[in-house]
Amino acid sequence: MSLRIIWWRFKQNKIALASLIVLFVLIIMALIGPYLNSWGYSEQVLQKTNQRPGIEYWFGTDSLGRDLFTRLWYGARVSILIGIVTSAVSVSMGTLYGSISAVLGGKIDEVMMRIVEVFYAVPFLLYVILLMLIMEPGIKTIIIALATVCWFNTARVVRGQVLKLKEEEFFLAARLLGAGKIRLIVHHILPNVTGHIIVMFVVVVSEAVFVEAFLSFLGLGVSVPKASLGILAKEGIQGIRSYPWQLFFPAVFISLLMLSLNLIGDGLRDALDPKIAVKKRAEL
Amino acid sequence: MRYVLRKIISSSITLFVIVSLTFVLMHLIPGGPFDSERKLPDSIVKNLNARYNLDKPLREQYIIYIKNVLTGDLGPSIKYENKTVNSIIKEGFPVTAAIGVAAIFLAVFVGSLLGVAAAIYRQRWPDYAASIISTLGISVPGFILAGFLVYLFAFRLGWFPPALWDGPKSMALPVLSLAWFPTAIIARLMKSSVLEVLNQEYIKTARAKGLPMSYIVIQHVLRNAAAPMISYVGPALATILTGSFVIENIFALPGLGKWFVLSISNRDYTVILGLTIFYSTLLIVLNILVDLVLAVLDPRIRYTKAKGAGL
């Protein structure tokens, strides 16, 4: 299905469109937010710890006297960056793996899918934790660890789609005309699974942001004084008794980010599969 | 029966891969377990290595480890002289299991209730309420919710203790935080599957016979709509178990999750290794059980799975 049709259908969905705008605003703020006032993200003013939100510090300060407004947007940028890069890497890996498996078919397909199945049964967070222990802590490590475990689902979805495509006439025609395997994948399969890839991309971004927050919470993610949404939430919870705003702002940001990503994902899924959307409307 | 056997065999292979993979990963970690700020004399390190079989070649260590795991011995803790992985599991697992089981029951109960209500009262307030709750559930991470629950119910209202493990009252907030996400997913799954069942011919027949709606829902709809929800219970258990790492830390519960996180920050390799294997085994066994329940409840699944064996 062409991207233009998907986009047209997506636009009809007011909630999804609004979520896209919200997401856009959040990303813009993450890009420019840290520069909107004069504090640096790791700049400590030890006389002004745990300040309430006010004119001097818009979102207050943390226990080391760091400006939380700057830290929030800085952390958001780190989290979103991790989400996007992880998703791009793992979705490409999954797409490649899934389409190769489906195109080759037969025994190779079976073996490749068995491998995915074995990994799929493993609680992947445990493995991310082990991988994080092996490698040097840092943003790059998180991305590598997440990408190695996030591609299985994409591989399965893409393989399923390709198997469906293989039954179609245009594919048969292309094969009869002597198209090679690589040409089949690049020219005939990839354009037809773009929609599904975009959906997977959105899903994995939200997964990766979530897992990064989880890891940072366990002390395995981004290392201080850098910030990420997980670190901010952790520091917020530590001071929840006396300084609730330290959790409030990162919590609102994470929730808005997750909410918009989820709703965009739902909207895309409906746009991709008009049959479901029509059925939904009939049911409503 | 063949279906069950197949499942068990493939799960054993998965488990074997998990054990080997974890073992290899743990030995890839740079530095030995006895590296610390204060350098130990070489002779002590040598003795320690000998005690934990670390002086043998890797292949031999692996064989010893597999043998021990097969006999249910997950080895000692490197950091705590008087603890073994087994004793840690014995100590921490009851706590984790208590909140985990409570959370899964809560999620299944509340989630199904929300889903069924949303499907039956479509486009009326129960539907809107359920969809708001389930959207919040997948958007607000459990540990964020935990923070707010502590602030509101423990510090502001003082209804529940903010942390520590004494009595059922201290279970309330952690269980709620753990059940939060799975409840949302189950509500969504139930709504769509109940809607599907409500459109079936046999429901129309039942209504035409004049049966009351409550009877139809309990007798016909729930039975037929439960399958997607039950098959989600496996992944939900995984979510709850890994969620407990964070939740047990926030609420300072002496569960297995807290031990796991502690051994991560202590770099207590044998405990990490042992607990990872324990968690994986537990989840895989539970998954088999869930599949079995599903097959017993729904003959259609038994048939299609046996036919389309594998993938």
Side-chain angles (χ1 to χ4, degrees), chain A residues 36-70:
Chain A
L36 289 184
N37 63 18
S38 54
W39 308 107
Y41 73 88
S42 59
E43 189 183 336
Q44 302 178 5
V45 182
L46 290 171
Q47 293 84 359
K48 302 230 164 173
T49 56
N50 297 319
Q51 298 279 312
R52 282 182 177 280
I55 296 172
E56 193 178 1
Y57 294 99
W58 298 336
F59 286 180
T61 60
D62 66 4
S63 57
L64 292 172
R66 292 175 293 199
D67 176 42
L68 281 174
F69 183 84
T70 309

mmCIF file of all heavy atoms in Angstrom, chain A residues 36-70:
data_model
loop_
_atom_site.group_PDB
_atom_site.id
_atom_site.type_symbol
_atom_site.label_atom_id
_atom_site.label_comp_id
_atom_site.label_asym_id
_atom_site.label_seq_id
_atom_site.Cartn_x
_atom_site.Cartn_y
_atom_site.Cartn_z
ATOM 1 N N LEU A 36 16.965 27.230 26.644
ATOM 2 C CA LEU A 36 16.000 28.296 26.895
ATOM 3 C C LEU A 36 16.320 29.089 28.154
ATOM 4 O O LEU A 36 15.786 30.162 28.360
ATOM 5 C CB LEU A 36 14.577 27.721 26.998
ATOM 6 C CG LEU A 36 14.024 27.248 25.653
ATOM 7 C CD1 LEU A 36 12.587 26.775 25.812
ATOM 8 C CD2 LEU A 36 14.089 28.353 24.608
ATOM 9 N N ASN A 37 17.124 28.553 29.058
ATOM 10 C CA ASN A 37 17.569 29.403 30.154
ATOM 11 C C ASN A 37 19.076 29.237 30.299
ATOM 12 O O ASN A 37 19.707 28.501 29.531
ATOM 13 C CB ASN A 37 16.813 29.093 31.451
ATOM 14 C CG ASN A 37 17.060 27.692 31.945
ATOM 15 O OD1 ASN A 37 18.025 27.046 31.545
ATOM 16 N ND2 ASN A 37 16.182 27.207 32.795
ATOM 17 N N SER A 38 19.633 29.903 31.293
ATOM 18 C CA SER A 38 21.088 30.008 31.292
ATOM 19 C C SER A 38 21.777 28.882 32.049
ATOM 20 O O SER A 38 22.993 28.818 32.088
ATOM 21 C CB SER A 38 21.493 31.363 31.890
ATOM 22 O OG SER A 38 20.881 31.484 33.161
ATOM 23 N N TRP A 39 21.017 27.950 32.666
ATOM 24 C CA TRP A 39 21.663 26.887 33.437
ATOM 25 C C TRP A 39 22.142 25.757 32.526
ATOM 26 O O TRP A 39 21.533 25.465 31.510
ATOM 27 C CB TRP A 39 20.684 26.308 34.465
ATOM 28 C CG TRP A 39 20.035 27.341 35.329
ATOM 29 C CD1 TRP A 39 18.745 27.763 35.259
ATOM 30 C CD2 TRP A 39 20.645 28.108 36.354
ATOM 31 N NE1 TRP A 39 18.509 28.735 36.175
ATOM 32 C CE2 TRP A 39 19.664 28.972 36.880
ATOM 33 C CE3 TRP A 39 21.933 28.151 36.899
ATOM 34 C CZ2 TRP A 39 19.918 29.866 37.911
ATOM 35 C CZ3 TRP A 39 22.178 29.026 37.926
ATOM 36 C CH2 TRP A 39 21.189 29.881 38.429
ATOM 37 N N GLY A 40 23.228 25.103 32.933
ATOM 38 C CA GLY A 40 23.692 23.931 32.200
ATOM 39 C C GLY A 40 23.085 22.692 32.834
ATOM 40 O O GLY A 40 22.657 22.736 33.987
ATOM 41 N N TYR A 41 23.064 21.585 32.085
ATOM 42 C CA TYR A 41 22.372 20.404 32.613
ATOM 43 C C TYR A 41 23.058 19.795 33.835
ATOM 44 O O TYR A 41 22.442 19.130 34.639
ATOM 45 C CB TYR A 41 22.176 19.345 31.523
ATOM 46 C CG TYR A 41 23.432 18.620 31.122
ATOM 47 C CD1 TYR A 41 23.833 17.474 31.789
ATOM 48 C CD2 TYR A 41 24.208 19.072 30.065
ATOM 49 C CE1 TYR A 41 24.993 16.821 31.447
ATOM 50 C CE2 TYR A 41 25.366 18.424 29.710
ATOM 51 C CZ TYR A 41 25.753 17.297 30.397
ATOM 52 O OH TYR A 41 26.896 16.647 30.048
ATOM 53 N N SER A 42 24.384 20.029 33.964
ATOM 54 C CA SER A 42 25.059 19.428 35.117
ATOM 55 C C SER A 42 25.608 20.508 36.041
ATOM 56 O O SER A 42 26.438 20.241 36.902
ATOM 57 C CB SER A 42 26.185 18.512 34.644
ATOM 58 O OG SER A 42 27.101 19.258 33.890
ATOM 59 N N GLU A 43 25.132 21.726 35.840
ATOM 60 C CA GLU A 43 25.640 22.852 36.636
ATOM 61 C C GLU A 43 25.014 22.819 38.032
ATOM 62 O O GLU A 43 23.796 22.853 38.160
ATOM 63 C CB GLU A 43 25.267 24.152 35.917
ATOM 64 C CG GLU A 43 25.892 25.390 36.485
ATOM 65 C CD GLU A 43 25.395 26.626 35.736
ATOM 66 O OE1 GLU A 43 24.967 26.491 34.570
ATOM 67 O OE2 GLU A 43 25.414 27.709 36.325
ATOM 68 N N GLN A 44 25.861 22.751 39.058
ATOM 69 C CA GLN A 44 25.326 22.647 40.416
ATOM 70 C C GLN A 44 25.457 23.976 41.146
ATOM 71 O O GLN A 44 26.503 24.601 41.109
ATOM 72 C CB GLN A 44 26.095 21.578 41.201
ATOM 73 C CG GLN A 44 26.030 20.227 40.547
ATOM 74 C CD GLN A 44 26.845 19.201 41.307
ATOM 75 O OE1 GLN A 44 27.378 19.482 42.367
ATOM 76 N NE2 GLN A 44 26.941 18.011 40.746
ATOM 77 N N VAL A 45 24.364 24.366 41.800
ATOM 78 C CA VAL A 45 24.422 25.542 42.682
ATOM 79 C C VAL A 45 24.056 25.021 44.065
ATOM 80 O O VAL A 45 22.893 24.818 44.372
ATOM 81 C CB VAL A 45 23.432 26.633 42.241
ATOM 82 C CG1 VAL A 45 23.561 27.854 43.145
ATOM 83 C CG2 VAL A 45 23.682 27.012 40.805
ATOM 84 N N LEU A 46 25.084 24.751 44.862
ATOM 85 C CA LEU A 46 24.828 24.000 46.090
ATOM 86 C C LEU A 46 24.075 24.815 47.145
ATOM 87 O O LEU A 46 23.547 24.253 48.099
ATOM 88 C CB LEU A 46 26.143 23.465 46.653
ATOM 89 C CG LEU A 46 26.727 22.345 45.784
ATOM 90 C CD1 LEU A 46 28.119 21.968 46.227
ATOM 91 C CD2 LEU A 46 25.823 21.114 45.798
ATOM 92 N N GLN A 47 24.005 26.135 46.965
ATOM 93 C CA GLN A 47 23.199 26.929 47.909
ATOM 94 C C GLN A 47 21.721 26.809 47.586
ATOM 95 O O GLN A 47 20.877 27.189 48.381
ATOM 96 C CB GLN A 47 23.583 28.414 47.844
ATOM 97 C CG GLN A 47 24.971 28.741 48.325
ATOM 98 C CD GLN A 47 26.009 28.541 47.232
ATOM 99 O OE1 GLN A 47 25.670 28.125 46.112
ATOM 100 N NE2 GLN A 47 27.266 28.797 47.527
ATOM 101 N N LYS A 48 21.399 26.343 46.396
ATOM 102 C CA LYS A 48 19.998 26.348 45.962
ATOM 103 C C LYS A 48 19.533 24.932 45.648
ATOM 104 O O LYS A 48 19.083 24.650 44.553
ATOM 105 C CB LYS A 48 19.857 27.216 44.706
ATOM 106 C CG LYS A 48 20.326 28.629 44.935
ATOM 107 C CD LYS A 48 19.297 29.603 44.460
ATOM 108 C CE LYS A 48 19.587 30.972 45.052
ATOM 109 N NZ LYS A 48 18.735 32.009 44.517
ATOM 110 N N THR A 49 19.654 24.027 46.614
ATOM 111 C CA THR A 49 19.189 22.673 46.357
ATOM 112 C C THR A 49 17.699 22.558 46.662
ATOM 113 O O THR A 49 17.166 23.271 47.507
ATOM 114 C CB THR A 49 19.943 21.663 47.255
ATOM 115 O OG1 THR A 49 19.760 22.062 48.603
ATOM 116 C CG2 THR A 49 21.404 21.641 46.936
ATOM 117 N N ASN A 50 17.059 21.650 45.949
ATOM 118 C CA ASN A 50 15.642 21.333 46.166
ATOM 119 C C ASN A 50 14.726 22.561 46.190
ATOM 120 O O ASN A 50 13.833 22.674 47.020
ATOM 121 C CB ASN A 50 15.460 20.549 47.473
ATOM 122 C CG ASN A 50 16.176 19.222 47.419
ATOM 123 O OD1 ASN A 50 16.145 18.551 46.386
ATOM 124 N ND2 ASN A 50 16.825 18.836 48.492
ATOM 125 N N GLN A 51 14.982 23.492 45.264
ATOM 126 C CA GLN A 51 14.114 24.670 45.162
ATOM 127 C C GLN A 51 12.769 24.280 44.558
ATOM 128 O O GLN A 51 12.692 23.399 43.708
ATOM 129 C CB GLN A 51 14.768 25.717 44.243
ATOM 130 C CG GLN A 51 16.084 26.242 44.744
ATOM 131 C CD GLN A 51 15.907 27.316 45.787
ATOM 132 O OE1 GLN A 51 15.132 28.231 45.599
ATOM 133 N NE2 GLN A 51 16.608 27.178 46.898
ATOM 134 N N ARG A 52 11.718 24.968 45.010
ATOM 135 C CA ARG A 52 10.418 24.774 44.381
ATOM 136 C C ARG A 52 10.419 25.397 42.985
ATOM 137 O O ARG A 52 11.187 26.307 42.725
ATOM 138 C CB ARG A 52 9.342 25.482 45.192
ATOM 139 C CG ARG A 52 8.948 24.743 46.417
ATOM 140 C CD ARG A 52 7.853 25.461 47.153
ATOM 141 N NE ARG A 52 7.477 24.653 48.294
ATOM 142 C CZ ARG A 52 6.674 23.588 48.206
ATOM 143 N NH1 ARG A 52 6.141 23.258 47.048
ATOM 144 N NH2 ARG A 52 6.389 22.865 49.259
ATOM 145 N N PRO A 53 9.516 24.934 42.118
ATOM 146 C CA PRO A 53 9.385 25.592 40.820
ATOM 147 C C PRO A 53 9.027 27.067 41.038
ATOM 148 O O PRO A 53 8.199 27.378 41.895
ATOM 149 C CB PRO A 53 8.238 24.841 40.159
ATOM 150 C CG PRO A 53 8.179 23.534 40.835
ATOM 151 C CD PRO A 53 8.659 23.765 42.237
ATOM 152 N N GLY A 54 9.641 27.951 40.283
ATOM 153 C CA GLY A 54 9.358 29.369 40.466
ATOM 154 C C GLY A 54 9.931 30.153 39.318
ATOM 155 O O GLY A 54 10.190 29.598 38.242
ATOM 156 N N ILE A 55 10.173 31.436 39.550
ATOM 157 C CA ILE A 55 10.627 32.285 38.454
ATOM 158 C C ILE A 55 12.083 32.000 38.124
ATOM 159 O O ILE A 55 12.478 31.935 36.966
ATOM 160 C CB ILE A 55 10.442 33.766 38.833
ATOM 161 C CG1 ILE A 55 8.947 34.027 39.000
ATOM 162 C CG2 ILE A 55 11.015 34.683 37.756
ATOM 163 C CD1 ILE A 55 8.606 35.372 39.553
ATOM 164 N N GLU A 56 12.882 31.789 39.180
ATOM 165 C CA GLU A 56 14.305 31.576 38.929
ATOM 166 C C GLU A 56 14.545 30.202 38.285
ATOM 167 O O GLU A 56 15.268 30.072 37.305
ATOM 168 C CB GLU A 56 15.065 31.678 40.239
ATOM 169 C CG GLU A 56 16.558 31.785 40.029
ATOM 170 C CD GLU A 56 17.298 31.947 41.353
ATOM 171 O OE1 GLU A 56 16.642 31.959 42.412
ATOM 172 O OE2 GLU A 56 18.519 32.055 41.319
ATOM 173 N N TYR A 57 13.904 29.179 38.909
ATOM 174 C CA TYR A 57 14.004 27.820 38.348
ATOM 175 C C TYR A 57 12.603 27.382 37.969
ATOM 176 O O TYR A 57 11.777 27.147 38.851
ATOM 177 C CB TYR A 57 14.577 26.854 39.385
ATOM 178 C CG TYR A 57 16.005 27.136 39.759
ATOM 179 C CD1 TYR A 57 16.309 27.830 40.921
ATOM 180 C CD2 TYR A 57 17.035 26.708 38.936
ATOM 181 C CE1 TYR A 57 17.619 28.104 41.251
ATOM 182 C CE2 TYR A 57 18.347 26.966 39.266
ATOM 183 C CZ TYR A 57 18.638 27.664 40.426
ATOM 184 O OH TYR A 57 19.938 27.924 40.757
ATOM 185 N N TRP A 58 12.334 27.290 36.681
ATOM 186 C CA TRP A 58 10.966 27.060 36.220
ATOM 187 C C TRP A 58 10.391 25.752 36.743
ATOM 188 O O TRP A 58 9.233 25.661 37.107
ATOM 189 C CB TRP A 58 10.911 27.112 34.692
ATOM 190 C CG TRP A 58 11.311 28.462 34.196
ATOM 191 C CD1 TRP A 58 11.231 29.632 34.898
ATOM 192 C CD2 TRP A 58 11.865 28.799 32.936
ATOM 193 N NE1 TRP A 58 11.702 30.672 34.150
ATOM 194 C CE2 TRP A 58 12.097 30.189 32.935
ATOM 195 C CE3 TRP A 58 12.197 28.060 31.793
ATOM 196 C CZ2 TRP A 58 12.635 30.862 31.839
ATOM 197 C CZ3 TRP A 58 12.714 28.723 30.697
ATOM 198 C CH2 TRP A 58 12.931 30.113 30.721
ATOM 199 N N PHE A 59 11.210 24.689 36.744
ATOM 200 C CA PHE A 59 10.735 23.390 37.232
ATOM 201 C C PHE A 59 11.396 23.027 38.563
ATOM 202 O O PHE A 59 11.386 21.894 38.983
ATOM 203 C CB PHE A 59 11.020 22.276 36.211
ATOM 204 C CG PHE A 59 10.120 22.311 35.001
ATOM 205 C CD1 PHE A 59 10.259 21.379 33.988
ATOM 206 C CD2 PHE A 59 9.114 23.273 34.877
ATOM 207 C CE1 PHE A 59 9.433 21.403 32.873
ATOM 208 C CE2 PHE A 59 8.291 23.307 33.768
ATOM 209 C CZ PHE A 59 8.450 22.368 32.760
ATOM 210 N N GLY A 60 12.028 23.975 39.222
ATOM 211 C CA GLY A 60 12.689 23.687 40.490
ATOM 212 C C GLY A 60 14.101 23.149 40.288
ATOM 213 O O GLY A 60 14.589 23.064 39.152
ATOM 214 N N THR A 61 14.743 22.773 41.406
ATOM 215 C CA THR A 61 16.076 22.173 41.299
ATOM 216 C C THR A 61 16.093 20.838 42.023
ATOM 217 O O THR A 61 15.191 20.537 42.801
ATOM 218 C CB THR A 61 17.159 23.067 41.940
ATOM 219 O OG1 THR A 61 16.834 23.233 43.326
ATOM 220 C CG2 THR A 61 17.242 24.416 41.281
ATOM 221 N N ASP A 62 17.130 20.047 41.769
ATOM 222 C CA ASP A 62 17.222 18.744 42.428
ATOM 223 C C ASP A 62 18.139 18.840 43.645
ATOM 224 O O ASP A 62 18.532 19.940 44.057
ATOM 225 C CB ASP A 62 17.679 17.668 41.443
ATOM 226 C CG ASP A 62 19.097 17.891 40.959
ATOM 227 O OD1 ASP A 62 19.750 18.830 41.449
ATOM 228 O OD2 ASP A 62 19.547 17.128 40.092
ATOM 229 N N SER A 63 18.479 17.693 44.215
ATOM 230 C CA SER A 63 19.195 17.694 45.486
ATOM 231 C C SER A 63 20.618 18.236 45.364
ATOM 232 O O SER A 63 21.282 18.482 46.363
ATOM 233 C CB SER A 63 19.230 16.279 46.061
ATOM 234 O OG SER A 63 19.825 15.423 45.122
ATOM 235 N N LEU A 64 21.105 18.403 44.120
ATOM 236 C CA LEU A 64 22.438 18.975 43.951
ATOM 237 C C LEU A 64 22.361 20.397 43.414
ATOM 238 O O LEU A 64 23.363 20.963 42.992
ATOM 239 C CB LEU A 64 23.276 18.109 43.005
ATOM 240 C CG LEU A 64 23.653 16.735 43.550
ATOM 241 C CD1 LEU A 64 24.296 15.885 42.470
ATOM 242 C CD2 LEU A 64 24.603 16.884 44.724
ATOM 243 N N GLY A 65 21.150 20.946 43.405
ATOM 244 C CA GLY A 65 20.993 22.310 42.932
ATOM 245 C C GLY A 65 21.108 22.460 41.421
ATOM 246 O O GLY A 65 21.536 23.487 40.921
ATOM 247 N N ARG A 66 20.730 21.392 40.705
ATOM 248 C CA ARG A 66 20.742 21.492 39.245
ATOM 249 C C ARG A 66 19.360 21.886 38.750
ATOM 250 O O ARG A 66 18.351 21.445 39.315
ATOM 251 C CB ARG A 66 21.167 20.159 38.623
ATOM 252 C CG ARG A 66 22.615 19.839 38.897
ATOM 253 C CD ARG A 66 22.996 18.480 38.377
ATOM 254 N NE ARG A 66 22.328 17.404 39.109
ATOM 255 C CZ ARG A 66 22.745 16.148 39.115
ATOM 256 N NH1 ARG A 66 23.797 15.810 38.427
ATOM 257 N NH2 ARG A 66 22.100 15.227 39.781
ATOM 258 N N ASP A 67 19.318 22.704 37.695
ATOM 259 C CA ASP A 67 18.046 23.195 37.180
ATOM 260 C C ASP A 67 17.287 22.057 36.515
ATOM 261 O O ASP A 67 17.768 21.454 35.555
ATOM 262 C CB ASP A 67 18.313 24.306 36.170
ATOM 263 C CG ASP A 67 17.027 24.777 35.532
ATOM 264 O OD1 ASP A 67 16.031 24.923 36.258
ATOM 265 O OD2 ASP A 67 17.018 24.983 34.301
ATOM 266 N N LEU A 68 16.089 21.766 36.994
ATOM 267 C CA LEU A 68 15.367 20.606 36.467
ATOM 268 C C LEU A 68 14.751 20.861 35.105
ATOM 269 O O LEU A 68 14.501 19.929 34.351
ATOM 270 C CB LEU A 68 14.283 20.167 37.469
ATOM 271 C CG LEU A 68 14.835 19.352 38.630
ATOM 272 C CD1 LEU A 68 13.757 19.079 39.665
ATOM 273 C CD2 LEU A 68 15.400 18.030 38.129
ATOM 274 N N PHE A 69 14.496 22.130 34.786
ATOM 275 C CA PHE A 69 13.964 22.437 33.457
ATOM 276 C C PHE A 69 14.976 22.017 32.391
ATOM 277 O O PHE A 69 14.664 21.265 31.472
ATOM 278 C CB PHE A 69 13.661 23.934 33.356
ATOM 279 C CG PHE A 69 13.038 24.346 32.055
ATOM 280 C CD1 PHE A 69 11.681 24.225 31.867
ATOM 281 C CD2 PHE A 69 13.816 24.852 31.020
ATOM 282 C CE1 PHE A 69 11.098 24.603 30.671
ATOM 283 C CE2 PHE A 69 13.230 25.223 29.818
ATOM 284 C CZ PHE A 69 11.869 25.098 29.641
ATOM 285 N N THR A 70 16.203 22.460 32.572
ATOM 286 C CA THR A 70 17.256 22.101 31.615
ATOM 287 C C THR A 70 17.486 20.594 31.614
ATOM 288 O O THR A 70 17.604 19.972 30.567
ATOM 289 C CB THR A 70 18.566 22.818 31.983
ATOM 290 O OG1 THR A 70 18.285 24.195 32.156
ATOM 291 C CG2 THR A 70 19.593 22.640 30.906
#
